[in-house]
Amino acid sequence: MAVSDLAALVVALPIFGSLVAFLAALVRSKSGWPVAVAATAAQLAVTVTLAVRAFGEGTITYVVGGFEAPYGIELVVDGLTGTMLVLIAAVSLGVLAYARRAGPRSNPFYAVFMLLVAGLTGMSVTADLFNMYVFLEITGLSAYALVASGDRGRSAVAALKYLLVGTVGASLFLLGVGYAYIDTGTLNMADLAVKLAANGYTATLTQTAFALIVVGLFIKVAVFPLHTWQPDAYAGAPDTVSGLISALVSTVAAYALLRVVFTVFGTAFLDANPFAHALLVGGAIISILLGSLLAVSQSEVKRMLAYSSVSQFGLIVAAISIGNVTALTGAAVHLVGHAIMKGGLFLTAGLVATETGARSVDEYEGLVKRSPVGAGVFGVLAVAMVGVPPTIGFAGKWYIAVGAAEAGSWTLLAVIVGSTLLTLAYFARLVERMFFREPTADLEPAVERADGALPDGGDLGGSDPGSASLGMYAAVVAAAVLAVALGFAVFGYGDVLQSTIEALLS
Amino acid sequence: MMDLLVSRDYYVATFLLLGIGTYVMIASRNLVKKVIGMNIFQTGIFLFFIAAAYVEGGNPPVLTMDAPHVSPLPHVLILTAIVVGVALTAVALGMVVRIYAEYGTLDEETLQEVRGSE
Amino acid sequence: MTDITSLRPLAAVLVSAVAVVPILASYRRPNLREGWTVLAAVCKLGLVASMVPAALRGDVYVTKLGPFVPYIDLTLRADALGLLFALVASTLWLVTSFYSIGYMRGLDEHSQTRYFAAFAGSVSSAVGVAFASNLVVLYLFYELLTVATYPLVAHDETDEARAAGRKYLAYTFGGGVAVLGGTLLVVHLAGTTAFTAGGIAGLANSDPTLARVAFALLVTGFGVKAALMPLHSWLPDAMVAPTPVSGLLHAVAVVKSGVFGVARVLLDVFGIDLVAELGVGGVLAAVAAFTLLTASVIALRQDNLKRRLAFSTVSQLSYIVLGIAVGGAAALGTGDAAKWALIGGLLHIPAHAFMKLTLFFCAGASTSRLTPTTSRTWPASASACPSRWARSQSPQPAWRASRWSPGS
């Protein structure tokens, strides 16, 4: 089998896994987990192979069904795609380790889980705009369903809101794709780039297409003020699911934004249209500042983490708006870093809730005595998120900031550097409560459950709510270790990624 | 103005549908009507694509028919998009059913009151 | 001057960080736990001291760990200036460790494991600051120092301690942000931040306005920990921490890391010639002189003994900064004057460290014997433990020596 076939396999494999997980229920109930683990492990192996090849030998392309581009659908794996593919597979595997005990455990859950992996993978590899829309919707659909898999009404309300807003985002994206198609008669990204350039960058159709696509993706990335679905969705979802979608869904949407802005429209378009540049810069600055401010005022830990994501994705949009090699390397590093840190934080929040029942900022008082591992990991990840070197949180921010200095955007530089303090503002509050206060009231997980405040695993039975499994500990500890260790690997990564980014910008 | 309305009537209809859909989604308090609003919004986009594919005096894109043909690609795309839309509607209605079972209301404001006292 | 590639600087930094693990692990057995602390302290002092002969010969131990981020290598260099600071910190850590054991057990303090672990981490970061070879590595350890000392400031877990901890984090991370901003500007202007004796060449030819902004950001950032007014107010508040913390960290390791940062920025990033040319040395000297006087006056009015010592620290630190800044301001064509000011300033780093640590130890000893720590009770305590009182007075000669170095 040729290497390029692997590009198709990474999409097919999780879809196949999803089907098997669904059908396995006919043979034996609760058999979804092993199927999902097997499929994701295989997926990880394939994606690592692909990524190594993409970094070593350059871009891999695959033409679906033998229809040559630009008429057929093309799948392209370059360094950036490879990064995303490995990230998706690795995070999914980590979340699965966590989900073993934390649930939900039904087979349909794992079927949808694998479908989400397929959608995300597809968004990463495709080189066709309409195909990207389809995968965007597959991702969206499975994410809505996963959010709703919590057994409380709150999950369903959050999921419906997510669905309505998310659909509008995807539809705007589709409308933008329509404009680009009318303009050029093609949907292949590389081909679009050539034809859009030929039409001239100041054509109204091109400008409209850009605006619609970017705003559509802003909704999916949850850039302020289009973030309203996100805190509800993250907070309302079961812990397993919030860990997964917070780590991956917005991340891949941001990757799609990066891909569309640079592969389809290109830096020349941004240079020719000040409004386009202003849209990105404005979204970035507002997100960074207001996301952090909203995070400070939250009383529920998961909502606070959700608003923190709004702010962190502001950083990535800032990197896209800067658009030089250093900043985009920073965007890639921060996408990976944020996925690990934020996914880890959500899983830790879930672990803490399982062990102690604590879910609000006030309930975290004296946590270190009740859940030492949870508090320790939370502390490490919070420090990483703030951007204390040598963690990966610092590395991403450093690249983006150096990129801003190279480009001479001093306002952005000030906001990026200053965002450290804003991040500190909401994490310090929590760290202080965890380590330097006595617990005020004894919370028992069982009591919380009676109130219906513990969302996961409710109808599944068989598990002791107060105990966390080895897999749960392993997942969160791995996230903390990676958040620190990857900080040292960033330079080597930036080095191999350079050719990809240069190709992207040329 | 009239010219525009007559010669670009499909596009005018598209944006009317988009507007109505958005309005229903925002203004209606009933969750099912919100889902309907979402459907109207999507229909606007479908119409946009199909209208863009139309060629004056064009025949269906079948080889035995004479040129000019209308562009077949948007039709294919929209077929996919309609399938996606149906799936979305199904999931959305599933959630609405669960919300109704849980809270006994479909009214957004009543829902907020009920949930506020949770 | 030759570079000797060796793992010794890295080992000297890491030994106490590694010790955090066994310290945490043996939380059930206090004697073993304190054994680890002492063992790490002895090893650290030994490692640091072993590099002194080379430094006296003019050689430098270097640990190269490869590139870290663009433009920046993860390299540790134990040069003379760094060794001075590292030697002070590691010597005093050993002394303080014994003192801590007595103090913490004497007062039957809570969370002793966390205390000793954080202490070891702090000293690691302080030595890391000393051996950093460029601004980013310095920033790295500077931030880690903040993180590691925060648990010590908030140790008491009272409202007052938590408020002090919040203030501490806000001030020092704010300073960290300024350092980061300044570092980025230096990278932008010069393409490197590696410390070079006499200053980084690329900076001299760059836009003077941006260079001034970079200087201001860096000095403000390090000035927070050096407690330059008006950035000093975290220090008196941080005195709620246990006395050994106030002694070693808030009179020696943490505040001196700020001063040390200022020294590095003046001497090895901008170089004193460029500082004089940009005309920023005089401004810094003025701020330092103002702090020196004002803090002393405020110290007169403090009743709480530790707060009084804290303001004294604020004032004394400014001597060091003043010495360095005068050296920078006077560099052009004044020959020896600048050199003497620098030597005086740098000599005051160990001198003040020994004096102030002793003073804090006495204050702590009086706390554990006679509860209140206000200076009004001092005459009584002086008679209660006369030997300590005498010791607190004795380091005067060193104080004079560094302060009245000729030429300053």
Side-chain angles (χ1 to χ4, degrees):
Chain A
M1 186 161 71
V3 186
S4 63
D5 293 349
L6 291 180
L9 186 64
V10 285
V11 184
L13 192 67
I15 295 180
F16 182 69
S18 166
L19 266 178
V20 174
F22 189 72
L23 295 176
L26 301 174
V27 184
R28 194 163 160 266
S29 66
K30 294 187 186 174
S31 53
W33 189 81
V35 174
V37 169
T40 315
Q43 172 84 353
L44 185 62
V46 176
T47 53
V48 169
T49 319
L50 260 179
V52 168
R53 291 294 184 91
F55 278 123
E57 295 157 24
T59 307
I60 301 162
T61 54
Y62 175 84
V63 183
V64 178
F67 293 99
E68 287 302 324
Y71 306 108
I73 294 170
E74 204 181 7
L75 305 180
V76 174
V77 180
D78 61 8
L80 207 52
T81 315
T83 311
M84 284 297 133
L85 292 179
V86 174
L87 177 74
I88 293 165
V91 170
S92 306
L93 204 58
V95 172
L96 280 173
Y98 183 93
R100 175 74 170 147
R101 173 72 61 86
R105 300 183 186 176
S106 60
N107 275 42
F109 172 79
Y110 288 106
V112 180
F113 186 106
M114 292 313 294
L115 202 58
L116 180 67
V117 175
L120 293 167
T121 308
M123 274 177 78
S124 307
V125 294
T126 188
D128 181 280
L129 266 189
F130 187 78
N131 198 230
M132 184 180 262
Y133 164 76
V134 173
F135 282 119
L136 190 69
E137 285 287 35
I138 291 178
T139 306
L141 264 174
S142 31
Y144 312 143
L146 286 179
V147 169
S149 67
D151 61 341
R152 292 175 304 164
R154 185 185 175 187
S155 302
V157 176
L160 185 64
K161 186 172 178 186
Y162 183 15
L163 185 146
L164 289 173
V165 179
T167 305
V168 171
S171 301
L172 288 178
F173 178 85
L174 179 61
L175 198 56
V177 173
Y179 272 92
Y181 175 71
I182 291 171
D183 196 5
T184 59
T186 181
L187 289 166
N188 181 286
M189 289 187 189
D191 199 31
L192 262 170
V194 176
K195 292 191 174 154
L196 285 177
N199 283 2
Y201 287 122
T202 46
T204 317
L205 269 178
T206 317
Q207 291 173 338
T208 317
F210 179 86
L212 285 169
I213 289 178
V214 167
V215 170
L217 286 174
F218 268 10
I219 293 180
K220 289 285 183 181
V221 177
V223 171
F224 195 94
L226 306 170
H227 67 284
T228 49
W229 58 271
Q230 193 227 36
D232 286 334
Y234 287 8
D239 297 325
T240 312
V241 174
S242 13
L244 183 71
I245 61 176
S246 68
L248 295 179
V249 173
S250 288
T251 306
V252 175
Y255 160 83
L257 180 66
L258 197 161
R259 180 61 78 192
V260 171
V261 167
F262 291 104
T263 305
V264 176
F265 290 94
T267 38
F269 177 83
L270 291 181
D271 292 341
N273 292 288
F275 95 90
H277 196 251
L279 183 68
L280 293 171
V281 175
I285 292 180
I286 295 175
S287 276
I288 294 175
L289 297 180
L290 293 180
S292 303
L293 289 180
L294 285 167
V296 176
S297 60
Q298 298 305 312
S299 60
E300 192 183 340
V301 173
K302 279 171 80 175
R303 284 185 78 87
M304 187 198 92
L305 294 175
Y307 279 110
S308 155
S309 284
V310 173
S311 156
Q312 297 297 322
F313 277 104
L315 270 180
I316 288 164
V317 176
I320 294 175
S321 77
I322 294 164
N324 55 28
V325 176
T326 321
L328 290 184
T329 311
V333 171
H334 202 59
L335 278 176
V336 173
H338 177 265
I340 291 167
M341 293 185 288
K342 192 53 64 64
L345 280 168
F346 269 106
L347 292 185
T348 313
L351 176 78
V352 166
T354 313
E355 282 191 328
T356 69
R359 287 199 171 273
S360 75
V361 173
D362 288 332
E363 286 167 356
Y364 268 50
E365 289 185 358
L367 188 69
V368 67
K369 297 204 174 62
R370 289 175 290 159
S371 170
V373 175
V377 169
F378 208 105
V380 171
L381 289 173
V383 165
M385 206 79 203
V386 171
V388 173
T391 61
I392 191 159
F394 165 75
K397 202 179 280 182
W398 171 265
Y399 272 88
I400 298 174
V402 170
E406 280 172 5
S409 5
W410 304 117
T411 320
L412 269 180
L413 181 66
V415 172
I416 292 164
V417 173
S419 71
T420 308
L421 280 184
L422 295 170
T423 314
L424 179 72
Y426 53 82
F427 275 122
R429 209 161 71 102
L430 209 54
V431 168
E432 181 191 297
R433 281 181 169 80
M434 285 193 297
F435 293 99
F436 303 104
R437 274 182 202 273
E438 291 300 316
T440 44
D442 272 342
L443 294 157
E444 285 304 322
V447 175
E448 285 289 304
R449 168 161 294 227
D451 293 336
L454 201 73
D456 44 322
D459 58 336
L460 305 154
S463 74
D464 175 7
S467 74
S469 69
L470 190 65
M472 293 167 78
Y473 285 121
V476 298
V477 171
V481 170
L482 279 177
V484 177
L486 285 182
F488 293 100
V490 165
F491 186 84
Y493 171 70
D495 229 22
V496 292
L497 192 67
Q498 194 173 5
S499 60
T500 302
I501 305 265
E502 275 167 1
L504 192 66
L505 288 177
S506 63
Chain B
M1 189 65 199
M2 275 314 285
D3 253 13
L4 188 78
L5 282 180
V6 173
S7 63
R8 296 273 184 270
D9 45 354
Y10 287 113
Y11 295 100
V12 174
T14 290
F15 283 91
L16 272 178
L17 285 173
L18 290 180
I20 294 168
T22 316
Y23 176 78
V24 174
M25 260 195 286
I26 294 171
S28 171
R29 286 163 46 179
N30 187 301
L31 294 180
V32 176
K33 287 187 183 162
K34 277 181 189 291
V35 176
I36 294 174
M38 181 185 89
N39 277 327
I40 296 175
F41 186 84
Q42 288 189 307
T43 311
I45 294 174
F46 302 160
L47 180 63
F48 176 80
F49 269 80
I50 301 298
Y54 183 69
V55 176
E56 197 71 43
N59 286 317
V62 182
L63 278 179
T64 51
M65 305 285 273
D66 295 330
H69 298 124
V70 297
S71 169
L73 187 62
H75 293 82
V76 179
L77 300 183
I78 289 315
L79 218 50
T80 318
I82 289 172
V83 173
V84 171
V86 170
L88 274 171
T89 313
V91 173
L93 290 176
M95 286 166 192
V96 171
V97 169
R98 267 194 53 195
I99 293 172
Y100 188 75
E102 184 96 9
Y103 299 108
T105 177
L106 287 178
D107 186 275
E108 197 182 25
E109 282 172 25
T110 322
L111 190 65
Q112 237 156 22
E113 278 169 35
V114 177
R115 292 187 59 212
S117 60
E118 242 179 12
Chain C
M1 191 168 101
T2 49
D3 286 1
I4 307 167
T5 304
S6 156
L7 284 177
R8 258 190 249 185
L10 181 68
V13 171
L14 284 186
V15 66
S16 47
V18 170
V20 169
V21 178
I23 289 175
L24 286 176
S26 46
Y27 68 100
R28 285 179 207 279
R29 300 169 62 191
N31 288 340
L32 180 64
R33 181 185 68 199
E34 267 75 297
W36 289 114
T37 299
V38 173
L39 180 67
V42 171
C43 291
K44 193 169 200 96
L45 180 57
L47 279 164
V48 173
S50 74
M51 289 184 275
V52 172
L56 293 176
R57 281 200 312 274
D59 296 341
V60 180
Y61 281 97
V62 180
T63 309
K64 290 195 171 116
L65 296 170
F68 178 45
V69 283
Y71 309 115
I72 307 300
D73 287 335
L74 200 56
T75 302
L76 297 171
R77 286 174 63 88
D79 64 357
L81 183 57
L83 265 179
L84 171 74
F85 181 41
L87 198 59
V88 171
S90 53
T91 311
L92 295 181
W93 184 36
L94 184 58
V95 178
T96 311
S97 295
F98 287 110
Y99 184 87
S100 287
I101 296 168
Y103 182 89
M104 298 302 278
R105 292 187 180 184
L107 290 179
D108 203 16
E109 285 274 352
H110 65 103
S111 311
Q112 291 196 19
T113 306
R114 182 179 77 198
Y115 170 87
F116 282 105
F119 219 118
S122 308
V123 179
S124 241
S125 314
V127 175
V129 167
F131 291 162
S133 70
N134 59 52
L135 274 176
V136 175
V137 178
L138 182 57
Y139 171 73
L140 188 163
F141 286 110
Y142 191 75
E143 293 283 75
L144 287 180
L145 185 58
T146 303
V147 173
T149 46
Y150 170 67
L152 298 171
V153 176
H155 177 85
D156 272 1
E157 302 187 9
T158 56
D159 282 339
E160 194 192 354
R162 278 191 292 270
R166 273 196 297 273
K167 195 168 188 176
Y168 180 67
L169 277 187
Y171 270 77
T172 48
F173 266 107
V177 164
V179 171
L180 182 60
T183 307
L184 282 163
L185 273 180
V186 171
V187 168
H188 179 63
L189 295 174
T192 176
T193 63
F195 296 141
T196 321
I200 297 169
L203 271 177
N205 311 320
S206 58
D207 179 3
T209 316
L210 280 180
R212 283 195 190 97
V213 173
F215 183 85
L217 281 171
L218 285 170
V219 169
T220 312
F222 288 119
V224 171
K225 275 197 181 144
L228 282 178
M229 280 184 172
L231 305 169
H232 68 286
S233 87
W234 62 271
L235 184 59
D237 286 8
M239 292 299 137
V240 297
T243 305
V245 175
S246 312
L248 183 60
L249 297 176
H250 297 125
V252 184
V254 171
V255 291
K256 297 263 156 54
S257 75
V259 172
F260 184 78
V262 174
R264 281 286 198 211
V265 169
L266 261 91
L267 300 177
D268 294 342
V269 175
F270 284 83
I272 49 176
D273 290 340
L274 182 60
V275 169
E277 199 181 305
L278 293 172
V280 283
V283 181
L284 181 60
V287 173
F290 171 77
T291 308
L292 205 164
L293 289 174
T294 318
S296 295
V297 173
I298 297 175
L300 287 175
R301 295 178 45 82
Q302 296 298 318
D303 269 355
N304 182 304
L305 188 56
K306 283 173 75 182
R307 281 185 75 86
R308 179 178 284 195
L309 289 177
F311 276 104
S312 157
T313 305
V314 174
S315 159
Q316 295 294 318
L317 289 170
S318 283
Y319 267 114
I320 309 174
V321 177
L322 182 64
I324 302 165
V326 166
L332 286 182
T334 47
D336 277 355
K339 198 178 81 186
W340 285 116
L342 282 175
I343 292 175
L346 296 176
L347 182 58
H348 205 50
I349 292 182
H352 173 253
F354 280 94
M355 291 185 291
K356 195 48 67 62
L357 188 65
T358 317
L359 283 166
F360 269 110
F361 281 0
C362 290
S366 79
T367 316
S368 55
R369 276 214 180 173
L370 329 147
T371 349
T373 45
T374 65
S375 53
R376 298 201 194 288
T377 62
W378 256 107
S381 62
S383 54
C385 37
S387 65
R388 292 193 179 101
W389 172 249
R391 224 168 349 122
S392 74
Q393 300 294 313
S394 64
Q396 290 290 345
W399 173 76
R400 281 167 186 276
S402 57
R403 227 202 294 180
W404 303 117
S405 303
S408 63

